[in-house]
Amino acid sequence: MPIETVSENKSHGGTQGVYRHRSRETGTDMTFSVFVPEHDAGARLPVLWYLSGLTCTHANVTEKGEYRAACAEQGIVFIAPDTSPRGDEVPDDEGYDFGKGAGFYVDATQEPWSKHYRMRSYIESELPDIVGAHFPVDMARQGITGHSMGGHGALTIGLRNPERFRSVSAFSPIVSPLACPWGEKALGGYIGQDRAAWREYDAVALIEDGAKVPDLLVDQGTCDGFLEEQLKTHLLREACERAGQSATIRMQEGYDHSYYFISTFMAGHVAWHAKALKV
């Protein structure tokens, strides 16, 4: 599983790198970033995955997320994949909310998307194998977080794989693609019109169907322009209450959907994950 080093920079005593490899799942080159904090020789460190939102690449959080100081303090490796396959051979859509930059962390079943849009398998299976082979990580201690579409990805991947992820959090997540325009467009296009098949990609539906993790942490800004139509945080709160799923869901007064919001609460999320990952 060879990887190419795109760049490496020293930061907070550790190394911030960007890497590229040929993906068997997407059939394309994929780029991801990894921050490895300073550590003792031979040490294996816990891992925090961060999944980005619509229109983003690995670069958004890498450049604006302000996670490195917290990860250096806590001794956590931070991994940021891309949101979708890229390249001239990859089909796309005119809208920002479908196609490149909008992989939605699903394995597409519909043509022409099914050949390349396999972000679920890429995140759940392929990239962890690559990270485990090339970086000083302890894959028995993994947490996952993400923003918006990536918050949807973090919640659903975490709920589907509770044996793998010790901690799950999200910033401004799409909590129920079954109940919002972004989700209906993405899942209808990638998966087809059988809405029952969408449930494994919907955090609210997964919780209703019995999925459970030890705890959830969600931060959501009250001035987020997508809150009412697309994100619908209250649906997650209600589903957790009905199912007895432990969850801390915080409505942060005055914050929007941007990285100004994410960077404000990032260190708190890293510290929250660290408590679970250091056990």
Side-chain angles (χ1 to χ4, degrees), residues 17 19 28 33 54 77 85-86 145 149 155 167 184 203 223 235 243-245 251 259 261 273:
Y19 308 93
T28 66
S33 77
L54 286 168
V77 173
R86 310 278 176 176
T145 188
M149 179 187 74
L155 293 177
S167 52
E184 291 185 353
C223 291
L235 296 179
Q245 167 64 60
M251 302 302 296
Y259 270 87
F261 160 66
H273 284 276

PDB file of all heavy atoms in Angstrom, residues 17 19 28 33 54 77 85-86 145 149 155 167 184 203 223 235 243-245 251 259 261 273:
ATOM      1  N   GLY A  17       1.486  16.323   7.819  1.00  0.00           N
ATOM      2  CA  GLY A  17       1.765  15.833   6.488  1.00  0.00           C
ATOM      3  C   GLY A  17       0.532  15.747   5.630  1.00  0.00           C
ATOM      4  O   GLY A  17      -0.599  15.666   6.137  1.00  0.00           O
ATOM      5  N   TYR A  19      -0.635  13.452   2.135  1.00  0.00           N
ATOM      6  CA  TYR A  19      -0.199  12.247   1.431  1.00  0.00           C
ATOM      7  C   TYR A  19      -1.199  11.877   0.341  1.00  0.00           C
ATOM      8  O   TYR A  19      -2.379  12.238   0.413  1.00  0.00           O
ATOM      9  CB  TYR A  19      -0.028  11.094   2.422  1.00  0.00           C
ATOM     10  CG  TYR A  19       0.851  11.475   3.588  1.00  0.00           C
ATOM     11  CD1 TYR A  19       0.296  11.976   4.763  1.00  0.00           C
ATOM     12  CD2 TYR A  19       2.238  11.381   3.497  1.00  0.00           C
ATOM     13  CE1 TYR A  19       1.099  12.366   5.822  1.00  0.00           C
ATOM     14  CE2 TYR A  19       3.055  11.764   4.548  1.00  0.00           C
ATOM     15  CZ  TYR A  19       2.479  12.262   5.718  1.00  0.00           C
ATOM     16  OH  TYR A  19       3.283  12.662   6.755  1.00  0.00           O
ATOM     17  N   THR A  28      -9.329   5.937  -7.947  1.00  0.00           N
ATOM     18  CA  THR A  28      -8.725   7.238  -8.227  1.00  0.00           C
ATOM     19  C   THR A  28      -7.571   7.471  -7.264  1.00  0.00           C
ATOM     20  O   THR A  28      -7.401   6.746  -6.278  1.00  0.00           O
ATOM     21  CB  THR A  28      -9.739   8.383  -8.029  1.00  0.00           C
ATOM     22  OG1 THR A  28     -10.091   8.459  -6.631  1.00  0.00           O
ATOM     23  CG2 THR A  28     -10.996   8.166  -8.851  1.00  0.00           C
ATOM     24  N   SER A  33      -4.681  14.136   4.928  1.00  0.00           N
ATOM     25  CA  SER A  33      -3.672  14.754   5.786  1.00  0.00           C
ATOM     26  C   SER A  33      -3.609  14.023   7.120  1.00  0.00           C
ATOM     27  O   SER A  33      -4.611  13.450   7.580  1.00  0.00           O
ATOM     28  CB  SER A  33      -3.961  16.246   6.007  1.00  0.00           C
ATOM     29  OG  SER A  33      -4.989  16.439   6.948  1.00  0.00           O
ATOM     30  N   LEU A  54     -19.578  19.407   2.852  1.00  0.00           N
ATOM     31  CA  LEU A  54     -19.819  19.703   1.442  1.00  0.00           C
ATOM     32  C   LEU A  54     -18.834  20.731   0.905  1.00  0.00           C
ATOM     33  O   LEU A  54     -18.555  21.737   1.569  1.00  0.00           O
ATOM     34  CB  LEU A  54     -21.242  20.229   1.259  1.00  0.00           C
ATOM     35  CG  LEU A  54     -22.388  19.217   1.353  1.00  0.00           C
ATOM     36  CD1 LEU A  54     -23.727  19.937   1.448  1.00  0.00           C
ATOM     37  CD2 LEU A  54     -22.374  18.278   0.156  1.00  0.00           C
ATOM     38  N   VAL A  77      -3.117  11.350  17.129  1.00  0.00           N
ATOM     39  CA  VAL A  77      -2.942  11.504  15.683  1.00  0.00           C
ATOM     40  C   VAL A  77      -4.274  11.939  15.075  1.00  0.00           C
ATOM     41  O   VAL A  77      -5.323  11.361  15.373  1.00  0.00           O
ATOM     42  CB  VAL A  77      -2.477  10.176  15.056  1.00  0.00           C
ATOM     43  CG1 VAL A  77      -2.466  10.279  13.534  1.00  0.00           C
ATOM     44  CG2 VAL A  77      -1.105   9.788  15.581  1.00  0.00           C
ATOM     45  N   PRO A  85     -14.241  11.100  -4.340  1.00  0.00           N
ATOM     46  CA  PRO A  85     -13.221  10.856  -5.363  1.00  0.00           C
ATOM     47  C   PRO A  85     -13.043  12.075  -6.258  1.00  0.00           C
ATOM     48  O   PRO A  85     -13.959  12.893  -6.408  1.00  0.00           O
ATOM     49  CB  PRO A  85     -13.785   9.669  -6.145  1.00  0.00           C
ATOM     50  CG  PRO A  85     -15.252   9.729  -5.930  1.00  0.00           C
ATOM     51  CD  PRO A  85     -15.443  10.274  -4.550  1.00  0.00           C
ATOM     52  N   ARG A  86     -11.856  12.192  -6.847  1.00  0.00           N
ATOM     53  CA  ARG A  86     -11.535  13.313  -7.743  1.00  0.00           C
ATOM     54  C   ARG A  86     -10.938  12.774  -9.039  1.00  0.00           C
ATOM     55  O   ARG A  86     -10.455  11.649  -9.095  1.00  0.00           O
ATOM     56  CB  ARG A  86     -10.523  14.243  -7.084  1.00  0.00           C
ATOM     57  CG  ARG A  86     -10.848  14.678  -5.670  1.00  0.00           C
ATOM     58  CD  ARG A  86     -11.797  15.826  -5.600  1.00  0.00           C
ATOM     59  NE  ARG A  86     -12.150  16.143  -4.215  1.00  0.00           N
ATOM     60  CZ  ARG A  86     -12.917  17.158  -3.846  1.00  0.00           C
ATOM     61  NH1 ARG A  86     -13.399  17.983  -4.775  1.00  0.00           N
ATOM     62  NH2 ARG A  86     -13.208  17.357  -2.584  1.00  0.00           N
ATOM     63  N   THR A 145     -14.915  12.218  14.332  1.00  0.00           N
ATOM     64  CA  THR A 145     -15.694  13.437  14.387  1.00  0.00           C
ATOM     65  C   THR A 145     -15.818  13.987  12.969  1.00  0.00           C
ATOM     66  O   THR A 145     -15.241  13.455  12.021  1.00  0.00           O
ATOM     67  CB  THR A 145     -15.048  14.462  15.336  1.00  0.00           C
ATOM     68  OG1 THR A 145     -15.929  15.587  15.509  1.00  0.00           O
ATOM     69  CG2 THR A 145     -13.708  14.966  14.808  1.00  0.00           C
ATOM     70  N   MET A 149     -21.882  17.610   6.452  1.00  0.00           N
ATOM     71  CA  MET A 149     -21.935  16.315   5.787  1.00  0.00           C
ATOM     72  C   MET A 149     -20.964  15.339   6.445  1.00  0.00           C
ATOM     73  O   MET A 149     -21.238  14.139   6.562  1.00  0.00           O
ATOM     74  CB  MET A 149     -21.607  16.464   4.299  1.00  0.00           C
ATOM     75  CG  MET A 149     -21.615  15.160   3.508  1.00  0.00           C
ATOM     76  SD  MET A 149     -21.031  15.365   1.800  1.00  0.00           S
ATOM     77  CE  MET A 149     -19.260  15.576   2.063  1.00  0.00           C
ATOM     78  N   LEU A 155     -21.210  10.399  12.561  1.00  0.00           N
ATOM     79  CA  LEU A 155     -22.274   9.784  13.362  1.00  0.00           C
ATOM     80  C   LEU A 155     -22.651   8.418  12.810  1.00  0.00           C
ATOM     81  O   LEU A 155     -22.767   7.438  13.554  1.00  0.00           O
ATOM     82  CB  LEU A 155     -23.500  10.692  13.409  1.00  0.00           C
ATOM     83  CG  LEU A 155     -23.356  12.013  14.163  1.00  0.00           C
ATOM     84  CD1 LEU A 155     -24.642  12.826  14.038  1.00  0.00           C
ATOM     85  CD2 LEU A 155     -23.014  11.790  15.626  1.00  0.00           C
ATOM     86  N   SER A 167     -15.157   6.715  20.618  1.00  0.00           N
ATOM     87  CA  SER A 167     -15.765   8.030  20.848  1.00  0.00           C
ATOM     88  C   SER A 167     -16.247   8.600  19.530  1.00  0.00           C
ATOM     89  O   SER A 167     -15.608   8.430  18.492  1.00  0.00           O
ATOM     90  CB  SER A 167     -14.752   8.980  21.505  1.00  0.00           C
ATOM     91  OG  SER A 167     -13.543   9.019  20.760  1.00  0.00           O
ATOM     92  N   GLU A 184     -31.958  13.959   0.763  1.00  0.00           N
ATOM     93  CA  GLU A 184     -32.828  13.358  -0.246  1.00  0.00           C
ATOM     94  C   GLU A 184     -32.165  13.368  -1.617  1.00  0.00           C
ATOM     95  O   GLU A 184     -32.255  12.391  -2.370  1.00  0.00           O
ATOM     96  CB  GLU A 184     -34.165  14.090  -0.276  1.00  0.00           C
ATOM     97  CG  GLU A 184     -34.999  13.851   0.977  1.00  0.00           C
ATOM     98  CD  GLU A 184     -36.373  14.474   0.895  1.00  0.00           C
ATOM     99  OE1 GLU A 184     -36.624  15.212  -0.086  1.00  0.00           O
ATOM    100  OE2 GLU A 184     -37.193  14.237   1.794  1.00  0.00           O
ATOM    101  N   ALA A 203     -28.323   8.949  10.881  1.00  0.00           N
ATOM    102  CA  ALA A 203     -28.028   8.734  12.297  1.00  0.00           C
ATOM    103  C   ALA A 203     -29.291   8.542  13.119  1.00  0.00           C
ATOM    104  O   ALA A 203     -29.345   7.684  14.006  1.00  0.00           O
ATOM    105  CB  ALA A 203     -27.214   9.911  12.842  1.00  0.00           C
ATOM    106  N   CYS A 223     -26.936  30.305  15.182  1.00  0.00           N
ATOM    107  CA  CYS A 223     -27.058  31.202  14.041  1.00  0.00           C
ATOM    108  C   CYS A 223     -26.602  30.544  12.742  1.00  0.00           C
ATOM    109  O   CYS A 223     -26.242  31.223  11.775  1.00  0.00           O
ATOM    110  CB  CYS A 223     -26.260  32.487  14.289  1.00  0.00           C
ATOM    111  SG  CYS A 223     -26.978  33.530  15.582  1.00  0.00           S
ATOM    112  N   LEU A 235     -34.013  16.598  15.896  1.00  0.00           N
ATOM    113  CA  LEU A 235     -34.372  15.214  15.586  1.00  0.00           C
ATOM    114  C   LEU A 235     -33.404  14.229  16.228  1.00  0.00           C
ATOM    115  O   LEU A 235     -33.821  13.148  16.690  1.00  0.00           O
ATOM    116  CB  LEU A 235     -34.403  15.004  14.070  1.00  0.00           C
ATOM    117  CG  LEU A 235     -35.446  15.796  13.283  1.00  0.00           C
ATOM    118  CD1 LEU A 235     -35.330  15.489  11.790  1.00  0.00           C
ATOM    119  CD2 LEU A 235     -36.860  15.487  13.780  1.00  0.00           C
ATOM    120  N   ALA A 243     -34.435   6.530  22.694  1.00  0.00           N
ATOM    121  CA  ALA A 243     -33.693   5.273  22.685  1.00  0.00           C
ATOM    122  C   ALA A 243     -32.806   5.082  23.909  1.00  0.00           C
ATOM    123  O   ALA A 243     -32.216   4.014  24.077  1.00  0.00           O
ATOM    124  CB  ALA A 243     -32.824   5.197  21.426  1.00  0.00           C
ATOM    125  N   GLY A 244     -32.693   6.097  24.746  1.00  0.00           N
ATOM    126  CA  GLY A 244     -31.793   6.002  25.885  1.00  0.00           C
ATOM    127  C   GLY A 244     -30.325   6.081  25.498  1.00  0.00           C
ATOM    128  O   GLY A 244     -29.458   5.573  26.212  1.00  0.00           O
ATOM    129  N   GLN A 245     -30.050   6.739  24.376  1.00  0.00           N
ATOM    130  CA  GLN A 245     -28.675   6.935  23.919  1.00  0.00           C
ATOM    131  C   GLN A 245     -28.080   8.149  24.634  1.00  0.00           C
ATOM    132  O   GLN A 245     -28.595   9.262  24.519  1.00  0.00           O
ATOM    133  CB  GLN A 245     -28.632   7.147  22.410  1.00  0.00           C
ATOM    134  CG  GLN A 245     -27.305   7.671  21.857  1.00  0.00           C
ATOM    135  CD  GLN A 245     -26.150   6.718  22.047  1.00  0.00           C
ATOM    136  OE1 GLN A 245     -26.180   5.602  21.548  1.00  0.00           O
ATOM    137  NE2 GLN A 245     -25.128   7.142  22.770  1.00  0.00           N
ATOM    138  N   MET A 251     -26.235  23.600  22.053  1.00  0.00           N
ATOM    139  CA  MET A 251     -26.563  24.679  21.131  1.00  0.00           C
ATOM    140  C   MET A 251     -25.724  25.893  21.521  1.00  0.00           C
ATOM    141  O   MET A 251     -25.897  26.453  22.609  1.00  0.00           O
ATOM    142  CB  MET A 251     -28.057  24.991  21.188  1.00  0.00           C
ATOM    143  CG  MET A 251     -28.954  23.807  20.863  1.00  0.00           C
ATOM    144  SD  MET A 251     -28.662  23.073  19.225  1.00  0.00           S
ATOM    145  CE  MET A 251     -29.129  24.438  18.151  1.00  0.00           C
ATOM    146  N   TYR A 259     -15.776  27.644   9.849  1.00  0.00           N
ATOM    147  CA  TYR A 259     -14.635  27.187  10.635  1.00  0.00           C
ATOM    148  C   TYR A 259     -14.299  28.131  11.779  1.00  0.00           C
ATOM    149  O   TYR A 259     -13.537  27.759  12.676  1.00  0.00           O
ATOM    150  CB  TYR A 259     -13.421  26.938   9.731  1.00  0.00           C
ATOM    151  CG  TYR A 259     -13.399  25.520   9.228  1.00  0.00           C
ATOM    152  CD1 TYR A 259     -14.078  25.168   8.072  1.00  0.00           C
ATOM    153  CD2 TYR A 259     -12.753  24.517   9.940  1.00  0.00           C
ATOM    154  CE1 TYR A 259     -14.097  23.855   7.624  1.00  0.00           C
ATOM    155  CE2 TYR A 259     -12.764  23.205   9.513  1.00  0.00           C
ATOM    156  CZ  TYR A 259     -13.434  22.878   8.351  1.00  0.00           C
ATOM    157  OH  TYR A 259     -13.466  21.575   7.922  1.00  0.00           O
ATOM    158  N   PHE A 261     -16.554  28.815  13.904  1.00  0.00           N
ATOM    159  CA  PHE A 261     -17.273  28.009  14.898  1.00  0.00           C
ATOM    160  C   PHE A 261     -16.499  26.739  15.230  1.00  0.00           C
ATOM    161  O   PHE A 261     -16.245  26.432  16.401  1.00  0.00           O
ATOM    162  CB  PHE A 261     -18.667  27.684  14.349  1.00  0.00           C
ATOM    163  CG  PHE A 261     -19.338  26.505  14.995  1.00  0.00           C
ATOM    164  CD1 PHE A 261     -19.717  26.544  16.317  1.00  0.00           C
ATOM    165  CD2 PHE A 261     -19.605  25.356  14.252  1.00  0.00           C
ATOM    166  CE1 PHE A 261     -20.346  25.452  16.913  1.00  0.00           C
ATOM    167  CE2 PHE A 261     -20.230  24.274  14.826  1.00  0.00           C
ATOM    168  CZ  PHE A 261     -20.604  24.311  16.172  1.00  0.00           C
ATOM    169  N   HIS A 273     -12.505  13.420  23.265  1.00  0.00           N
ATOM    170  CA  HIS A 273     -12.098  12.146  22.674  1.00  0.00           C
ATOM    171  C   HIS A 273     -10.929  11.544  23.451  1.00  0.00           C
ATOM    172  O   HIS A 273     -10.867  10.320  23.644  1.00  0.00           O
ATOM    173  CB  HIS A 273     -11.714  12.336  21.221  1.00  0.00           C
ATOM    174  CG  HIS A 273     -12.875  12.494  20.302  1.00  0.00           C
ATOM    175  ND1 HIS A 273     -13.571  11.422  19.772  1.00  0.00           N
ATOM    176  CD2 HIS A 273     -13.493  13.605  19.808  1.00  0.00           C
ATOM    177  CE1 HIS A 273     -14.557  11.853  19.012  1.00  0.00           C
ATOM    178  NE2 HIS A 273     -14.528  13.177  19.004  1.00  0.00           N
TER     179      HIS A 273
END
